[in-house]
Amino acid sequence: MKLWGGRFSKQTAGLVDEFHASIELDQKLYKYDIIGSIAHARMLAGQGIITEAESGQIINCLNEILADIENGEIEFSVELEDIHMNIEKILIDRIGDVGKKLHTARSRNDQVAVDIRLYLRDNILTIKALIKELIAALVELADKNIDTIMPGYTHLQRAQPVTLGYHFLAYAQMFIRDYERLTDCYDRMNCSPLGAGALAGTTYETDRHFVADELGFAGVCLHGMDAVSDRDFIIEFISAAAVCMMHLSRFCEELIIWSTSEFNFIEMDDAYSTGSSIMPQKKNPDLAELIRGKTGRVYGNLFNILTIMKALPLAYNKDMQEDKLPLFDTVDTVSNSITVFIDMITTMQINKKSMSQAAKTGFMNATDAADYLVKKGLPFRECHAVIGRIVLYCLNKQVAIEDLSLAELKEFSDKFEEDFYQNITIEACVNAKKSAGSTSQSSMVEMVKRTRAKLISM
Ligand code: ARG
C-alpha cells in the first residue's frame, strides 16, 4: 500500500505510477533527503515530540540507509514515487513503528524544498570554485600574453590592434560577474523551508531555527506558504548559469574562428579536438562547438522552469516536481562545460606570429594616425577625414599607410613630419593608449594586478 493510501479504495491505474514518479531523477537527492531528515528527527526529540531513544533509532537507521545507498545496495521503487517516500518506506521496513514517527510535523512539500536547496547550495559552491579556477587560468594567460599583439575587432572587422592578454582579461571580468551572481543567488536562497509543513505551518512546538542551524542555513524562510511554493532560487540559478554559458559560448565562437586556416591564431591540442569520419585531414574544434551548443540547452532549461512556474497558484502544485530536470541538467552542463573549457584553453597553442602579422594589415593604425594629426593641432573630425582619404589612396595603391613617403603624406596635410612613422607602428598603437582599462602594457599590468587581488578576495 502507498504511504498515503488511506483514503483510496482503488490502486492507481496502469501507467500512472510511472508517469507520476520522480524517483528516476530525484534519487540524486538521497544524501540531502537523509541529512534533512536527521536534522528533523533531532529537532523532534529536542522539542519532546518524540523521545531521544526514538530519534536515535531513526538517525542510526537513516545513516545505515545512506551507507547502503552509497554502496549500491538499494533499489528504489517507482511505486513509491520519489526519493522521500522511498527512504521513509525503507526506514519503516527496518525499524517499524518508530520509523513512522519521522514524518511528524513535516510534509513532503517542505522536505523537497529543503532537499533541493541543500543540493543547490553544494553545487553552487562547486561551480563557483570552477569559475574561480577559470578566472585564475585567464589571468595567467593574460599575463603571459601581455605583449602578444593581435587585431582587435568590431563587427568582426579589423579595428585597432590590442593584445591577446587584453582579450583574455575581458573574459575574466565576465566570469567574475558570473561568480558574483552565483554568490548573490546562494545568499538569497540560504534559508530553511523545513518546518513550514504542507503550506500553513504545523500544530507542534517545532523549532525551525534549530533545524536551520543543523543544516547550516543562515536562517529560516520567514513565510511558510512562500517557503514551500518558491522556486525562485532555481530560476535565479539557471539564469546566472545561462549568462555564464553565454560568456563561454562567445569565447568558444572566437576560438572556433581563430582555429580556422583563414585566421590560424590558435591550434587546439589534439586531446581537445576530433577528426572526421571521411576527411582524413580534418581537425575539428568540437568541444568548443559543443559548449556553444550546450548553451542552448541551458537557455532551454531556463524557459522550462519559467514556464513550469508561470501561473501556478499558491502553494505547492505537482507541476513543481518537473523542476528537477532543468535544475540537474543545468548543474551538470555548466560544471562540465567550465571544466572542459579550462582544459581546452590551457592546452591550446597560440600562434603569436599569425596574430601580429594579421594586426599589421587592415589599416588598424588609422585611428592612431588621426590622433597624430590631432597632436599637431588639427581638430579630430578634420584628421579623421584626412586619414580617410589616405586610406582610400592606399587601397587603390595596395599599400599600407606606413608605406607612403613623407612627400605623399604632405599632399594630404602639411602637418605630417618624420616622427609620424614611429607613432603608427602596431606596438606604438597598443602602448600609446593612456586611458584606464586600455590595452597598453602599463594598463594591463594594473588590470592583471587588480584581477589577481580580486581572485584572492573571492
Ligand atoms: N516528488 C515531489 C516533488 O518533487 C515531492 C513533493 C510532493 N508533494 C506532494 N504534495 N505531492 O515535487
Side-chain angles (χ1 to χ4, degrees):
M1 187 167 99
K2 301 267 196 293
L3 287 174
W4 42 254
R7 64 95 64 220
F8 287 79
S9 47
K10 265 192 193 169
Q11 295 290 323
T12 39
L15 246 182
V16 169
D17 279 346
E18 197 121 347
F19 186 75
H20 185 216
S22 56
I23 186 66
E24 206 54 59
L25 282 177
D26 65 21
Q27 54 182 280
K28 225 189 185 103
L29 297 174
Y30 71 87
K31 189 176 73 189
Y32 303 106
D33 196 70
I34 289 176
I35 293 173
S37 288
I38 290 176
H40 182 67
R42 276 210 183 105
M43 182 279 292
L44 290 177
Q47 296 299 105
I49 299 166
I50 61 175
T51 67
E52 285 293 345
E54 288 168 335
S55 169
Q57 210 183 336
I58 291 173
I59 292 169
N60 284 342
C61 185
L62 285 171
N63 278 321
E64 278 164 29
I65 297 173
L66 178 62
D68 290 348
I69 296 174
E70 262 154 17
N71 294 329
E73 278 159 33
I74 295 209
E75 226 177 277
F76 295 115
S77 119
V78 169
E79 285 92 79
L80 291 165
E81 265 180 68
D82 56 25
I83 188 63
H84 325 295
M85 293 210 290
N86 266 274
I87 291 176
E88 193 182 337
K89 179 72 169 39
I90 300 167
L91 178 77
I92 293 168
D93 286 348
R94 291 190 183 183
I95 61 171
D97 282 352
V98 176
K100 292 183 183 164
K101 296 193 174 185
L102 173 64
H103 211 55
T104 318
R106 184 176 79 169
S107 154
R108 264 189 301 156
N109 298 349
D110 53 344
Q111 193 178 353
V112 70
V114 84
D115 289 9
I116 49 182
R117 278 177 198 254
L118 290 172
Y119 162 85
L120 188 52
R121 253 184 12 183
D122 269 6
N123 281 286
I124 286 183
L125 292 181
T126 310
I127 295 169
K128 278 177 62 179
L130 284 171
I131 294 180
K132 200 170 158 185
E133 207 182 302
L134 170 58
I135 299 165
L138 285 171
V139 176
E140 287 326 297
L141 278 168
D143 200 8
K144 267 200 212 135
N145 291 285
I146 212 158
D147 51 8
T148 306
I149 296 181
M150 65 176 288
Y153 299 85
T154 62
H155 313 266
L156 202 55
Q157 303 287 319
R158 288 185 189 169
Q160 291 188 321
V162 295
T163 65
L164 179 62
Y166 187 58
H167 206 105
F168 282 146
L169 210 55
Y171 280 103
Q173 310 313 306
M174 302 179 211
F175 294 119
I176 288 173
R177 293 194 292 273
D178 291 332
Y179 182 97
E180 291 177 345
R181 264 185 282 274
L182 286 175
T183 305
D184 192 38
C185 168
Y186 184 101
D187 291 345
R188 205 172 1 261
M189 70 172 277
N190 193 15
C191 61
S192 171
L194 204 58
L199 76 164
T202 66
T203 51
Y204 303 88
E205 290 277 355
T206 53
D207 184 349
R208 292 187 60 204
H209 295 276
F210 172 87
V211 174
D213 278 353
E214 283 284 291
L215 297 174
F217 284 109
V220 300
C221 304
L222 179 72
H223 190 294
M225 188 140 83
D226 177 50
V228 289
S229 60
D230 168 35
R231 294 294 182 271
D232 289 2
F233 56 97
I234 300 185
I235 297 173
E236 281 185 34
F237 164 70
I238 303 181
S239 356
V243 176
C244 179
M245 290 300 295
M246 177 269 287
H247 292 149
L248 287 174
S249 153
R250 292 181 75 173
F251 209 155
C252 284
E253 171 71 9
E254 302 213 75
L255 298 178
I256 293 163
I257 295 174
W258 293 356
S259 311
T260 59
S261 328
E262 286 76 4
F263 272 74
N264 190 31
F265 287 179
I266 56 164
E267 185 176 342
M268 293 291 183
D269 192 82
D270 277 4
Y272 294 94
S273 322
T274 55
S276 152
S277 61
I278 173 170
M279 297 166 281
Q281 86 286 9
K282 289 290 295 264
K283 178 168 167 182
N284 299 325
D286 291 45
L287 291 171
E289 294 167 52
L290 259 182
I291 295 171
R292 189 177 58 182
K294 283 176 191 286
T295 303
R297 234 174 123 119
V298 174
Y299 289 7
N301 291 338
L302 180 58
F303 258 81
N304 184 339
I305 184 71
L306 281 169
T307 313
I308 290 166
M309 295 307 293
K310 173 184 174 294
L312 283 191
L314 291 178
Y316 179 85
N317 299 268
K318 195 65 174 235
D319 315 44
M320 287 155 73
Q321 175 167 286
E322 289 291 310
D323 62 1
K324 313 288 177 310
L325 184 69
L327 172 62
F328 295 164
D329 186 69
T330 300
V331 164
D332 292 346
T333 305
V334 76
S335 315
N336 294 338
S337 298
I338 299 170
T339 306
V340 169
F341 189 83
I342 295 172
D343 293 343
M344 208 171 65
I345 59 166
T346 48
T347 54
M348 70 190 182
Q349 224 190 71
I350 295 164
N351 301 337
K352 297 189 180 190
K353 245 175 128 178
S354 305
M355 286 188 170
S356 75
Q357 208 48 47
K360 283 184 185 135
T361 55
F363 303 101
M364 297 218 291
N365 50 5
T367 313
D368 294 82
D371 288 344
Y372 170 87
L373 291 177
V374 170
K375 280 177 216 138
K376 297 285 174 181
L378 284 186
F380 181 77
R381 263 298 148 239
E382 214 169 294
C383 307
H384 187 288
V386 169
I387 303 297
R389 284 194 290 274
I390 293 180
V391 168
L392 185 61
Y393 176 78
C394 289
L395 280 170
N396 286 327
K397 246 188 120 180
Q398 296 203 8
V399 292
I401 302 176
E402 58 274 27
D403 296 331
L404 301 180
S405 69
L406 195 53
E408 277 176 299
L409 288 168
K410 281 193 184 284
E411 293 287 318
F412 294 91
S413 164
D414 55 6
K415 303 281 183 197
F416 284 111
E417 306 287 345
E418 198 53 54
D419 64 348
F420 175 63
Y421 298 99
Q422 80 217 31
N423 272 278
I424 59 160
T425 64
I426 48 166
E427 289 79 14
C429 293
V430 167
N431 289 316
K433 300 285 180 296
K434 292 204 173 65
S435 53
S438 80
T439 188
S440 69
Q441 187 139 353
S442 56
S443 151
M444 272 295 293
V445 167
E446 176 63 20
M447 286 193 288
V448 164
K449 197 175 93 193
R450 288 181 58 170
T451 312
R452 280 207 178 108
K454 178 89 190 172
L455 263 176
I456 292 169
S457 75
M458 279 165 53

